[in-house]
Amino acid sequence: MARSHELTEDRIDALGQTKAGRRYDVHDGAVPNLVVRVGTRTKVFVLMARFPGQGKCTRRKIGMYPEVTLDEARATANAWNEKIRHGIDPAEEDKRTEYERRLEERRVFRSALVDFISWLPDRRYTRHVREDIALIRRTLLDAPGNDETLGKTLSWVTRQELGDLVAEESKWSMNEAYQLYGHLQAFFQWVTSPLRCGPYGIEKNPLAGASAGDLQLWKNARMNVLEPYELRAYWKAADETPYPYGPFFKVVLLTVARKNAVARMRWSELDPERRVWRAPPLNVKGKEVENLVPLSDQLMVLLAGLHHSQQVGHGDYVFSTTFGQSPINSFGKETKAFRAKADEALREIDPTKVMQHFVIHDTRRVDRTALSALDVPSSVAEGILNHGKQGIEGLYDQYRHLPQRRKAMARLHDRLDEVVEGAKPDFYDDDPAGGPWEAFYSRVAAECLGRVRQDSEGDQP
């Protein structure tokens, strides 16, 4: 058999194309099993050999010529021949190598974090998922100073490095640093779980046993409750704010619901016959909790006015800037303008008072405090706020206290009317029977004088 000549690129270029349906092979004399297969339009480098696990000689494509050069084809063919000699199928080896490469990429801190935020919408606690993802991106993934730590393999990330990430964030915002620490704790618990520790190559949680206090972090919990005079300013500012935000600020205060739920309120959810708003269930601590909001006289009048004022063809959303086709979803700018109006309203009501900074969510604290002041039972008040029942009670007691809620909200709104109009000084009734200091001094002086007279009369024979 004639020995094959070594291929050259000039020789490959000179190989003639075949007629349709025909092909022929030209072997390379320099590298065993390397073949150029010539067809009607193409010239392809292949390795013709008996691969491990196969009983006959087969061809494996290396690449098209000239995209793959002769030198590149020979390098690949030599590597494949070496693997075949050791009983390794090159294709399977390439798959394994690619799998290990992808696995190594997946085990990088940044890549694992991306997997984590992709999983967050599927977790049990989803009410703040959009805000959580945004915070993780802002404080971790998109922060340029974190590139070195995020580029490390997960198992090499140290407790100190994580502490440095949180400490750096605390320089800008203590609240966000506190939240970031919580997300890092959740991430490492997720990635070191028995279901995931293998693929991510990490079994030990670097934050195990650590607490927010160890990093000198604390949560700035809001405790703001608007005073009665501030509520009067709040209501006056809402009166002066046009649709949709003026009525929205009123309904937020009256329904005791979260701002996002009120913003997405639909006419189809409101039942004027039963006077109830069947708000969509919220995922509260892993449970879908239905929220039934009774509609008081004040709410019915307000909503009826809105319904009457909206033109024919208005969509289903009650509060909308697109004729009911989509809900309002921008609160920052509008809330800032509303606070300014409330400030101005308070100066008109009482120039000696100053309006404290408030956020929309503070209205829930105002209402909850007022319900306690009105002696509403805690179970009913917590139900109005749509706080789920705890423990075994939440599992077995499914009563929604709707009649009790209706009565409590009627009392709340009646007293709110009195507070806003100035007829009542607060939500609670209290008669301290006080007065000026002189009146109390006169009373004490009279009592002392009376005792002196009694003593003097008792001394007479």
Side-chain angles (χ1 to χ4, degrees):
M1 180 177 179
R3 179 171 176 167
S4 300
H5 297 286
E6 289 187 14
L7 290 173
T8 63
E9 294 194 353
D10 289 340
R11 186 182 173 198
I12 295 173
D13 290 335
L15 295 173
Q17 305 292 152
T18 64
K19 295 181 179 179
R22 296 191 165 205
R23 287 175 292 183
Y24 66 91
D25 297 333
V26 178
H27 290 258
D28 180 24
V31 177
N33 304 324
L34 178 61
V35 175
V36 175
R37 184 160 236 216
V38 182
T40 55
R41 295 183 179 179
T42 61
K43 298 172 184 178
V44 184
F45 290 115
V46 298
L47 191 77
M48 187 180 296
R50 184 175 289 108
F51 292 88
Q54 298 184 0
K56 59 181 181 178
C57 186
T58 56
R59 297 180 180 86
R60 291 275 180 88
K61 179 179 177 180
I62 295 175
M64 300 277 292
Y65 177 82
E67 286 82 0
V68 175
T69 67
L70 177 59
D71 289 339
E72 291 171 341
R74 282 173 172 165
T76 302
N78 280 324
W80 285 12
N81 283 329
E82 184 68 16
K83 290 176 181 178
I84 292 171
R85 190 164 66 251
H86 288 87
I88 300 172
D89 188 326
E92 295 300 320
E93 178 69 7
D94 288 345
K95 288 181 182 178
R96 186 187 66 79
T97 303
E98 178 64 15
Y99 172 75
E100 289 180 351
R101 185 188 65 79
R102 291 184 179 180
L103 197 61
E104 192 63 30
E105 288 181 356
R106 192 181 187 189
R107 290 175 174 178
V108 172
F109 191 4
R110 181 184 293 277
S111 178
L113 263 178
V114 172
D115 288 349
F116 176 66
I117 64 175
S118 298
W119 167 83
L120 282 178
D122 297 326
R123 67 178 176 179
R124 293 182 65 200
Y125 310 102
T126 58
R127 189 158 61 86
H128 300 296
V129 66
R130 291 176 61 186
E131 294 86 350
D132 293 345
I133 291 174
L135 187 137
I136 292 172
R137 286 195 178 281
R138 183 172 62 255
T139 59
L140 282 177
L141 293 174
D142 296 340
N146 300 338
D147 289 343
E148 183 178 351
T149 302
L150 292 178
K152 297 182 67 173
T153 301
L154 265 177
S155 58
W156 296 352
V157 176
T158 66
R159 193 183 185 96
Q160 177 68 50
E161 288 172 322
L162 296 173
D164 290 342
L165 290 178
V166 177
E168 184 63 27
E169 184 61 29
S170 68
K171 296 177 183 177
W172 303 97
S173 169
M174 179 59 69
N175 276 341
E176 289 204 348
Y178 185 92
Q179 294 178 59
L180 171 60
Y181 174 75
H183 291 315
L184 285 172
Q185 280 280 20
F187 165 73
F188 279 104
Q189 289 174 5
W190 178 82
V191 83
T192 56
S193 74
L195 298 176
R196 303 181 185 91
C197 61
Y200 288 103
I202 180 171
E203 295 186 0
K204 185 178 179 180
N205 181 352
L207 291 176
S211 68
D214 296 333
L215 294 172
Q216 299 181 349
L217 300 174
W218 60 86
K219 185 177 182 181
N220 293 326
R222 290 186 62 83
M223 301 180 68
N224 293 29
V225 177
L226 297 180
E227 298 292 339
Y229 57 84
E230 292 176 308
L231 278 176
R232 289 194 284 275
Y234 179 101
W235 198 265
K236 189 174 188 300
D239 276 335
E240 296 171 357
T241 302
Y243 173 88
Y245 286 97
F248 165 75
F249 288 124
K250 287 185 176 181
V251 174
V252 167
L253 179 62
L254 292 174
T255 57
V256 204
R258 296 174 176 87
K259 68 177 182 182
N260 288 328
V262 175
R264 292 178 175 84
M265 178 187 284
R266 295 171 177 262
W267 289 114
S268 56
E269 298 166 354
L270 297 166
D271 186 349
E273 299 295 331
R274 298 199 62 191
R275 295 181 60 157
V276 69
W277 171 30
R278 296 185 176 276
L282 290 174
N283 195 318
V284 179
K285 296 185 178 180
K287 297 180 289 186
E288 291 292 323
V289 180
E290 182 184 26
N291 190 16
L292 299 177
V293 181
L295 301 179
S296 65
D297 290 343
Q298 291 86 342
L299 272 168
M300 289 295 292
V301 170
L302 197 160
L303 291 170
L306 284 179
H307 191 271
H308 179 74
S309 65
Q310 290 175 352
Q311 59 185 289
V312 177
H314 191 276
D316 200 29
Y317 288 103
V318 177
F319 303 105
S320 173
T321 57
T322 58
F323 300 100
Q325 303 307 308
S326 59
I328 55 175
N329 58 9
S330 175
F331 303 107
K333 179 181 177 182
E334 298 298 334
T335 304
K336 184 178 180 180
F338 180 68
R339 277 196 292 263
K341 284 189 177 180
D343 246 346
E344 184 179 344
L346 183 57
R347 283 195 295 271
E348 294 177 8
I349 295 170
D350 188 345
T352 66
K353 304 292 186 184
V354 176
M355 191 83 183
Q356 65 177 309
H357 179 85
F358 66 89
V359 297
I360 302 176
H361 195 77
D362 289 344
T363 58
R364 284 169 59 81
R365 195 174 300 106
V366 169
D367 289 322
R368 180 62 180 89
T369 304
L371 289 168
S372 290
L374 293 169
D375 293 326
V376 173
S378 181
S379 59
V380 177
E382 288 298 297
I384 290 174
L385 268 71
N386 198 31
H387 287 167
K389 298 175 183 177
Q390 301 298 313
I392 200 71
E393 181 186 9
L395 181 63
Y396 284 97
D397 185 1
Q398 299 300 314
Y399 182 54
R400 308 298 297 169
H401 295 96
L402 184 58
Q404 292 87 344
R405 289 191 199 182
R406 194 181 299 280
K407 293 176 182 177
M409 290 187 72
R411 290 179 60 198
L412 173 65
H413 294 165
D414 288 343
R415 179 55 63 91
L416 178 63
D417 282 346
E418 294 174 329
V419 168
V420 168
E421 293 166 3
K424 289 285 186 180
D426 215 320
F427 287 94
Y428 56 84
D429 291 316
D430 186 21
D431 184 12
W437 291 114
E438 291 76 6
F440 286 92
Y441 177 76
S442 300
R443 183 187 304 173
V444 172
E447 291 175 354
C448 290
L449 181 60
R451 284 196 295 270
V452 169
R453 287 177 178 175
Q454 290 177 358
D455 292 343
S456 62
E457 291 173 357
D459 292 339
Q460 294 179 2

PDB file of all heavy atoms in Angstrom, residues 220-227 230-231 339 355-369:
ATOM      1  N   ASN A 220     -33.319  50.495  62.042  1.00  0.00           N
ATOM      2  CA  ASN A 220     -33.988  51.727  62.451  1.00  0.00           C
ATOM      3  C   ASN A 220     -35.494  51.587  62.221  1.00  0.00           C
ATOM      4  O   ASN A 220     -36.026  51.999  61.195  1.00  0.00           O
ATOM      5  CB  ASN A 220     -33.444  52.922  61.659  1.00  0.00           C
ATOM      6  CG  ASN A 220     -31.997  53.209  61.996  1.00  0.00           C
ATOM      7  OD1 ASN A 220     -31.580  53.023  63.123  1.00  0.00           O
ATOM      8  ND2 ASN A 220     -31.234  53.643  61.012  1.00  0.00           N
ATOM      9  N   ALA A 221     -36.148  50.949  63.193  1.00  0.00           N
ATOM     10  CA  ALA A 221     -37.587  50.722  63.065  1.00  0.00           C
ATOM     11  C   ALA A 221     -38.338  52.040  63.240  1.00  0.00           C
ATOM     12  O   ALA A 221     -38.081  52.794  64.179  1.00  0.00           O
ATOM     13  CB  ALA A 221     -38.050  49.713  64.109  1.00  0.00           C
ATOM     14  N   ARG A 222     -39.247  52.315  62.321  1.00  0.00           N
ATOM     15  CA  ARG A 222     -40.047  53.534  62.420  1.00  0.00           C
ATOM     16  C   ARG A 222     -41.113  53.368  63.495  1.00  0.00           C
ATOM     17  O   ARG A 222     -41.765  52.321  63.575  1.00  0.00           O
ATOM     18  CB  ARG A 222     -40.706  53.856  61.081  1.00  0.00           C
ATOM     19  CG  ARG A 222     -39.733  54.312  60.010  1.00  0.00           C
ATOM     20  CD  ARG A 222     -40.474  54.756  58.761  1.00  0.00           C
ATOM     21  NE  ARG A 222     -41.339  55.888  58.999  1.00  0.00           N
ATOM     22  CZ  ARG A 222     -40.949  57.155  59.014  1.00  0.00           C
ATOM     23  NH1 ARG A 222     -39.677  57.446  58.811  1.00  0.00           N
ATOM     24  NH2 ARG A 222     -41.795  58.128  59.226  1.00  0.00           N
ATOM     25  N   MET A 223     -41.290  54.395  64.301  1.00  0.00           N
ATOM     26  CA  MET A 223     -42.306  54.379  65.343  1.00  0.00           C
ATOM     27  C   MET A 223     -43.182  55.623  65.255  1.00  0.00           C
ATOM     28  O   MET A 223     -43.870  55.985  66.207  1.00  0.00           O
ATOM     29  CB  MET A 223     -41.637  54.289  66.730  1.00  0.00           C
ATOM     30  CG  MET A 223     -40.781  53.051  66.902  1.00  0.00           C
ATOM     31  SD  MET A 223     -39.993  52.921  68.521  1.00  0.00           S
ATOM     32  CE  MET A 223     -41.416  52.664  69.560  1.00  0.00           C
ATOM     33  N   ASN A 224     -43.152  56.278  64.087  1.00  0.00           N
ATOM     34  CA  ASN A 224     -43.879  57.538  63.927  1.00  0.00           C
ATOM     35  C   ASN A 224     -45.392  57.308  63.943  1.00  0.00           C
ATOM     36  O   ASN A 224     -45.908  56.429  63.253  1.00  0.00           O
ATOM     37  CB  ASN A 224     -43.502  58.206  62.606  1.00  0.00           C
ATOM     38  CG  ASN A 224     -42.060  58.663  62.610  1.00  0.00           C
ATOM     39  OD1 ASN A 224     -41.210  58.076  63.278  1.00  0.00           O
ATOM     40  ND2 ASN A 224     -41.763  59.708  61.867  1.00  0.00           N
ATOM     41  N   VAL A 225     -46.078  58.109  64.728  1.00  0.00           N
ATOM     42  CA  VAL A 225     -47.537  58.141  64.743  1.00  0.00           C
ATOM     43  C   VAL A 225     -47.954  59.597  64.620  1.00  0.00           C
ATOM     44  O   VAL A 225     -47.554  60.430  65.448  1.00  0.00           O
ATOM     45  CB  VAL A 225     -48.114  57.536  66.040  1.00  0.00           C
ATOM     46  CG1 VAL A 225     -49.632  57.647  66.037  1.00  0.00           C
ATOM     47  CG2 VAL A 225     -47.702  56.081  66.171  1.00  0.00           C
ATOM     48  N   LEU A 226     -48.724  59.922  63.601  1.00  0.00           N
ATOM     49  CA  LEU A 226     -49.140  61.310  63.403  1.00  0.00           C
ATOM     50  C   LEU A 226     -50.049  61.755  64.546  1.00  0.00           C
ATOM     51  O   LEU A 226     -50.966  61.036  64.944  1.00  0.00           O
ATOM     52  CB  LEU A 226     -49.867  61.454  62.066  1.00  0.00           C
ATOM     53  CG  LEU A 226     -49.047  61.151  60.803  1.00  0.00           C
ATOM     54  CD1 LEU A 226     -49.904  61.330  59.559  1.00  0.00           C
ATOM     55  CD2 LEU A 226     -47.823  62.041  60.722  1.00  0.00           C
ATOM     56  N   GLU A 227     -49.763  62.942  65.049  1.00  0.00           N
ATOM     57  CA  GLU A 227     -50.602  63.528  66.097  1.00  0.00           C
ATOM     58  C   GLU A 227     -51.930  63.981  65.492  1.00  0.00           C
ATOM     59  O   GLU A 227     -52.040  64.165  64.267  1.00  0.00           O
ATOM     60  CB  GLU A 227     -49.878  64.715  66.732  1.00  0.00           C
ATOM     61  CG  GLU A 227     -48.578  64.360  67.429  1.00  0.00           C
ATOM     62  CD  GLU A 227     -48.815  63.526  68.684  1.00  0.00           C
ATOM     63  OE1 GLU A 227     -49.941  63.560  69.224  1.00  0.00           O
ATOM     64  OE2 GLU A 227     -47.877  62.835  69.116  1.00  0.00           O
ATOM     65  N   GLU A 230     -51.677  66.771  63.165  1.00  0.00           N
ATOM     66  CA  GLU A 230     -51.028  66.380  61.909  1.00  0.00           C
ATOM     67  C   GLU A 230     -52.005  65.634  61.009  1.00  0.00           C
ATOM     68  O   GLU A 230     -51.953  65.751  59.772  1.00  0.00           O
ATOM     69  CB  GLU A 230     -49.804  65.517  62.202  1.00  0.00           C
ATOM     70  CG  GLU A 230     -48.677  66.273  62.886  1.00  0.00           C
ATOM     71  CD  GLU A 230     -47.515  65.388  63.264  1.00  0.00           C
ATOM     72  OE1 GLU A 230     -47.744  64.351  63.918  1.00  0.00           O
ATOM     73  OE2 GLU A 230     -46.371  65.721  62.895  1.00  0.00           O
ATOM     74  N   LEU A 231     -52.901  64.868  61.615  1.00  0.00           N
ATOM     75  CA  LEU A 231     -53.931  64.185  60.822  1.00  0.00           C
ATOM     76  C   LEU A 231     -54.862  65.195  60.153  1.00  0.00           C
ATOM     77  O   LEU A 231     -55.298  64.986  59.017  1.00  0.00           O
ATOM     78  CB  LEU A 231     -54.747  63.242  61.713  1.00  0.00           C
ATOM     79  CG  LEU A 231     -54.138  61.870  61.984  1.00  0.00           C
ATOM     80  CD1 LEU A 231     -55.003  61.089  62.957  1.00  0.00           C
ATOM     81  CD2 LEU A 231     -53.973  61.085  60.689  1.00  0.00           C
ATOM     82  N   ARG A 339     -46.373  65.717  51.136  1.00  0.00           N
ATOM     83  CA  ARG A 339     -45.816  66.154  52.425  1.00  0.00           C
ATOM     84  C   ARG A 339     -45.693  67.675  52.480  1.00  0.00           C
ATOM     85  O   ARG A 339     -45.941  68.302  53.517  1.00  0.00           O
ATOM     86  CB  ARG A 339     -44.445  65.504  52.659  1.00  0.00           C
ATOM     87  CG  ARG A 339     -44.526  64.100  53.220  1.00  0.00           C
ATOM     88  CD  ARG A 339     -43.182  63.674  53.779  1.00  0.00           C
ATOM     89  NE  ARG A 339     -42.189  63.504  52.728  1.00  0.00           N
ATOM     90  CZ  ARG A 339     -41.876  62.343  52.176  1.00  0.00           C
ATOM     91  NH1 ARG A 339     -42.467  61.230  52.599  1.00  0.00           N
ATOM     92  NH2 ARG A 339     -40.958  62.263  51.233  1.00  0.00           N
ATOM     93  N   MET A 355     -44.812  69.856  61.206  1.00  0.00           N
ATOM     94  CA  MET A 355     -45.195  68.547  60.672  1.00  0.00           C
ATOM     95  C   MET A 355     -43.975  67.642  60.642  1.00  0.00           C
ATOM     96  O   MET A 355     -42.955  67.972  60.022  1.00  0.00           O
ATOM     97  CB  MET A 355     -45.759  68.708  59.254  1.00  0.00           C
ATOM     98  CG  MET A 355     -46.435  67.473  58.697  1.00  0.00           C
ATOM     99  SD  MET A 355     -48.131  67.361  59.270  1.00  0.00           S
ATOM    100  CE  MET A 355     -48.646  65.794  58.555  1.00  0.00           C
ATOM    101  N   GLN A 356     -44.047  66.510  61.312  1.00  0.00           N
ATOM    102  CA  GLN A 356     -42.938  65.574  61.278  1.00  0.00           C
ATOM    103  C   GLN A 356     -42.888  64.847  59.938  1.00  0.00           C
ATOM    104  O   GLN A 356     -43.900  64.731  59.243  1.00  0.00           O
ATOM    105  CB  GLN A 356     -43.068  64.558  62.421  1.00  0.00           C
ATOM    106  CG  GLN A 356     -44.286  63.649  62.300  1.00  0.00           C
ATOM    107  CD  GLN A 356     -44.368  62.610  63.390  1.00  0.00           C
ATOM    108  OE1 GLN A 356     -43.411  61.896  63.630  1.00  0.00           O
ATOM    109  NE2 GLN A 356     -45.513  62.522  64.058  1.00  0.00           N
ATOM    110  N   HIS A 357     -41.704  64.388  59.567  1.00  0.00           N
ATOM    111  CA  HIS A 357     -41.559  63.640  58.316  1.00  0.00           C
ATOM    112  C   HIS A 357     -42.346  62.329  58.423  1.00  0.00           C
ATOM    113  O   HIS A 357     -42.272  61.617  59.426  1.00  0.00           O
ATOM    114  CB  HIS A 357     -40.088  63.335  58.048  1.00  0.00           C
ATOM    115  CG  HIS A 357     -39.864  62.539  56.797  1.00  0.00           C
ATOM    116  ND1 HIS A 357     -39.760  63.114  55.555  1.00  0.00           N
ATOM    117  CD2 HIS A 357     -39.736  61.198  56.616  1.00  0.00           C
ATOM    118  CE1 HIS A 357     -39.573  62.176  54.652  1.00  0.00           C
ATOM    119  NE2 HIS A 357     -39.549  61.004  55.265  1.00  0.00           N
ATOM    120  N   PHE A 358     -43.134  62.020  57.399  1.00  0.00           N
ATOM    121  CA  PHE A 358     -43.911  60.776  57.420  1.00  0.00           C
ATOM    122  C   PHE A 358     -43.828  60.093  56.070  1.00  0.00           C
ATOM    123  O   PHE A 358     -43.527  60.724  55.054  1.00  0.00           O
ATOM    124  CB  PHE A 358     -45.380  61.054  57.781  1.00  0.00           C
ATOM    125  CG  PHE A 358     -46.139  61.854  56.754  1.00  0.00           C
ATOM    126  CD1 PHE A 358     -46.815  61.232  55.711  1.00  0.00           C
ATOM    127  CD2 PHE A 358     -46.163  63.243  56.817  1.00  0.00           C
ATOM    128  CE1 PHE A 358     -47.510  61.964  54.764  1.00  0.00           C
ATOM    129  CE2 PHE A 358     -46.846  63.997  55.872  1.00  0.00           C
ATOM    130  CZ  PHE A 358     -47.524  63.354  54.846  1.00  0.00           C
ATOM    131  N   VAL A 359     -44.065  58.790  56.084  1.00  0.00           N
ATOM    132  CA  VAL A 359     -44.175  57.996  54.863  1.00  0.00           C
ATOM    133  C   VAL A 359     -45.564  57.392  54.831  1.00  0.00           C
ATOM    134  O   VAL A 359     -46.272  57.359  55.852  1.00  0.00           O
ATOM    135  CB  VAL A 359     -43.094  56.896  54.797  1.00  0.00           C
ATOM    136  CG1 VAL A 359     -41.704  57.490  54.751  1.00  0.00           C
ATOM    137  CG2 VAL A 359     -43.221  55.934  55.970  1.00  0.00           C
ATOM    138  N   ILE A 360     -45.979  56.906  53.676  1.00  0.00           N
ATOM    139  CA  ILE A 360     -47.345  56.402  53.524  1.00  0.00           C
ATOM    140  C   ILE A 360     -47.616  55.259  54.485  1.00  0.00           C
ATOM    141  O   ILE A 360     -48.705  55.135  55.047  1.00  0.00           O
ATOM    142  CB  ILE A 360     -47.601  55.957  52.067  1.00  0.00           C
ATOM    143  CG1 ILE A 360     -47.369  57.135  51.115  1.00  0.00           C
ATOM    144  CG2 ILE A 360     -49.010  55.443  51.897  1.00  0.00           C
ATOM    145  CD1 ILE A 360     -47.493  56.777  49.655  1.00  0.00           C
ATOM    146  N   HIS A 361     -46.609  54.411  54.704  1.00  0.00           N
ATOM    147  CA  HIS A 361     -46.826  53.240  55.565  1.00  0.00           C
ATOM    148  C   HIS A 361     -47.115  53.643  57.007  1.00  0.00           C
ATOM    149  O   HIS A 361     -47.681  52.847  57.768  1.00  0.00           O
ATOM    150  CB  HIS A 361     -45.594  52.333  55.516  1.00  0.00           C
ATOM    151  CG  HIS A 361     -45.827  50.963  56.066  1.00  0.00           C
ATOM    152  ND1 HIS A 361     -46.495  49.978  55.356  1.00  0.00           N
ATOM    153  CD2 HIS A 361     -45.508  50.402  57.266  1.00  0.00           C
ATOM    154  CE1 HIS A 361     -46.561  48.879  56.076  1.00  0.00           C
ATOM    155  NE2 HIS A 361     -45.973  49.117  57.249  1.00  0.00           N
ATOM    156  N   ASP A 362     -46.764  54.869  57.397  1.00  0.00           N
ATOM    157  CA  ASP A 362     -47.047  55.313  58.763  1.00  0.00           C
ATOM    158  C   ASP A 362     -48.543  55.329  59.058  1.00  0.00           C
ATOM    159  O   ASP A 362     -48.946  55.262  60.223  1.00  0.00           O
ATOM    160  CB  ASP A 362     -46.474  56.718  58.995  1.00  0.00           C
ATOM    161  CG  ASP A 362     -44.952  56.718  59.059  1.00  0.00           C
ATOM    162  OD1 ASP A 362     -44.369  55.630  59.234  1.00  0.00           O
ATOM    163  OD2 ASP A 362     -44.351  57.800  58.932  1.00  0.00           O
ATOM    164  N   THR A 363     -49.375  55.425  58.022  1.00  0.00           N
ATOM    165  CA  THR A 363     -50.821  55.456  58.257  1.00  0.00           C
ATOM    166  C   THR A 363     -51.310  54.162  58.902  1.00  0.00           C
ATOM    167  O   THR A 363     -52.261  54.181  59.680  1.00  0.00           O
ATOM    168  CB  THR A 363     -51.582  55.688  56.938  1.00  0.00           C
ATOM    169  OG1 THR A 363     -51.244  54.651  55.991  1.00  0.00           O
ATOM    170  CG2 THR A 363     -51.228  57.043  56.337  1.00  0.00           C
ATOM    171  N   ARG A 364     -50.666  53.050  58.602  1.00  0.00           N
ATOM    172  CA  ARG A 364     -51.060  51.787  59.238  1.00  0.00           C
ATOM    173  C   ARG A 364     -50.753  51.828  60.735  1.00  0.00           C
ATOM    174  O   ARG A 364     -51.517  51.307  61.557  1.00  0.00           O
ATOM    175  CB  ARG A 364     -50.325  50.613  58.580  1.00  0.00           C
ATOM    176  CG  ARG A 364     -50.909  50.248  57.230  1.00  0.00           C
ATOM    177  CD  ARG A 364     -50.051  49.284  56.465  1.00  0.00           C
ATOM    178  NE  ARG A 364     -49.803  48.024  57.115  1.00  0.00           N
ATOM    179  CZ  ARG A 364     -50.636  46.979  57.136  1.00  0.00           C
ATOM    180  NH1 ARG A 364     -51.826  47.077  56.556  1.00  0.00           N
ATOM    181  NH2 ARG A 364     -50.291  45.856  57.722  1.00  0.00           N
ATOM    182  N   ARG A 365     -49.645  52.471  61.104  1.00  0.00           N
ATOM    183  CA  ARG A 365     -49.310  52.601  62.519  1.00  0.00           C
ATOM    184  C   ARG A 365     -50.287  53.549  63.213  1.00  0.00           C
ATOM    185  O   ARG A 365     -50.666  53.338  64.362  1.00  0.00           O
ATOM    186  CB  ARG A 365     -47.872  53.107  62.645  1.00  0.00           C
ATOM    187  CG  ARG A 365     -47.266  52.949  64.010  1.00  0.00           C
ATOM    188  CD  ARG A 365     -45.802  53.346  64.016  1.00  0.00           C
ATOM    189  NE  ARG A 365     -45.031  52.508  63.095  1.00  0.00           N
ATOM    190  CZ  ARG A 365     -44.575  52.915  61.919  1.00  0.00           C
ATOM    191  NH1 ARG A 365     -44.785  54.152  61.529  1.00  0.00           N
ATOM    192  NH2 ARG A 365     -43.900  52.102  61.135  1.00  0.00           N
ATOM    193  N   VAL A 366     -50.695  54.610  62.509  1.00  0.00           N
ATOM    194  CA  VAL A 366     -51.685  55.543  63.061  1.00  0.00           C
ATOM    195  C   VAL A 366     -52.983  54.799  63.357  1.00  0.00           C
ATOM    196  O   VAL A 366     -53.558  54.918  64.451  1.00  0.00           O
ATOM    197  CB  VAL A 366     -51.937  56.702  62.070  1.00  0.00           C
ATOM    198  CG1 VAL A 366     -53.147  57.518  62.497  1.00  0.00           C
ATOM    199  CG2 VAL A 366     -50.714  57.590  61.957  1.00  0.00           C
ATOM    200  N   ASP A 367     -53.454  54.025  62.380  1.00  0.00           N
ATOM    201  CA  ASP A 367     -54.726  53.317  62.546  1.00  0.00           C
ATOM    202  C   ASP A 367     -54.637  52.251  63.629  1.00  0.00           C
ATOM    203  O   ASP A 367     -55.573  52.078  64.426  1.00  0.00           O
ATOM    204  CB  ASP A 367     -55.142  52.676  61.215  1.00  0.00           C
ATOM    205  CG  ASP A 367     -55.585  53.712  60.194  1.00  0.00           C
ATOM    206  OD1 ASP A 367     -56.235  54.688  60.591  1.00  0.00           O
ATOM    207  OD2 ASP A 367     -55.265  53.551  59.001  1.00  0.00           O
ATOM    208  N   ARG A 368     -53.517  51.515  63.653  1.00  0.00           N
ATOM    209  CA  ARG A 368     -53.391  50.444  64.659  1.00  0.00           C
ATOM    210  C   ARG A 368     -53.369  51.029  66.062  1.00  0.00           C
ATOM    211  O   ARG A 368     -53.999  50.483  66.997  1.00  0.00           O
ATOM    212  CB  ARG A 368     -52.125  49.622  64.406  1.00  0.00           C
ATOM    213  CG  ARG A 368     -51.911  48.485  65.389  1.00  0.00           C
ATOM    214  CD  ARG A 368     -53.045  47.486  65.285  1.00  0.00           C
ATOM    215  NE  ARG A 368     -52.876  46.380  66.223  1.00  0.00           N
ATOM    216  CZ  ARG A 368     -53.330  46.379  67.476  1.00  0.00           C
ATOM    217  NH1 ARG A 368     -53.968  47.447  67.944  1.00  0.00           N
ATOM    218  NH2 ARG A 368     -53.149  45.329  68.252  1.00  0.00           N
ATOM    219  N   THR A 369     -52.680  52.154  66.242  1.00  0.00           N
ATOM    220  CA  THR A 369     -52.633  52.817  67.541  1.00  0.00           C
ATOM    221  C   THR A 369     -54.016  53.341  67.919  1.00  0.00           C
ATOM    222  O   THR A 369     -54.443  53.230  69.083  1.00  0.00           O
ATOM    223  CB  THR A 369     -51.620  53.976  67.500  1.00  0.00           C
ATOM    224  OG1 THR A 369     -50.345  53.469  67.097  1.00  0.00           O
ATOM    225  CG2 THR A 369     -51.483  54.625  68.859  1.00  0.00           C
TER     226      THR A 369
END
